[in-house]
Amino acid sequence: MSGDELRLDGWAVPSGLEALHELCEQGREAWPAVSAEAFMVMETAVIEIAGNVVEHGRPVGHVRWTF
C-alpha cells in the first residue's frame, strides 16, 4: 500500500473473498468521510464480481486477481 492506495493481489479462491472483505474494511477505516452506504454498495458489487471469478474462473484455482 502506498499513499491513498489499498491493494490485494492473490489467487481467485474462496479464501481470497475473506481477504477482500478485510480490504474493504481497511478502506472504510482509511476514508471515514465516505458514507457507510457508499462503502456497502461498493463492497457488495466487488464481492459479487469476485465470487463469480472464484466460481467460474478457469482453470479453477489458477486465476490471479488484483483489487
Side-chain angles (χ1 to χ4, degrees):
M1 181 174 75
S2 64
D4 290 341
E5 180 180 301
L6 294 175
R7 184 180 178 112
L8 175 67
D9 297 299
W11 296 103
V13 294
S15 62
L17 296 174
E18 183 176 330
L20 190 52
H21 278 290
E22 292 170 9
L23 182 73
C24 290
E25 183 58 34
Q26 290 173 9
R28 282 190 180 98
E29 293 170 5
W31 292 283
V34 177
S35 74
E37 182 179 319
F39 263 106
M40 182 184 68
V41 170
M42 182 275 309
E43 183 174 4
T44 300
V46 168
I47 294 298
E48 283 291 321
I49 292 166
N52 284 336
V53 174
V54 168
E55 184 176 349
H56 302 291
R58 298 290 182 259
V60 174
H62 294 277
V63 176
R64 290 195 57 84
W65 60 21
T66 301
F67 290 94

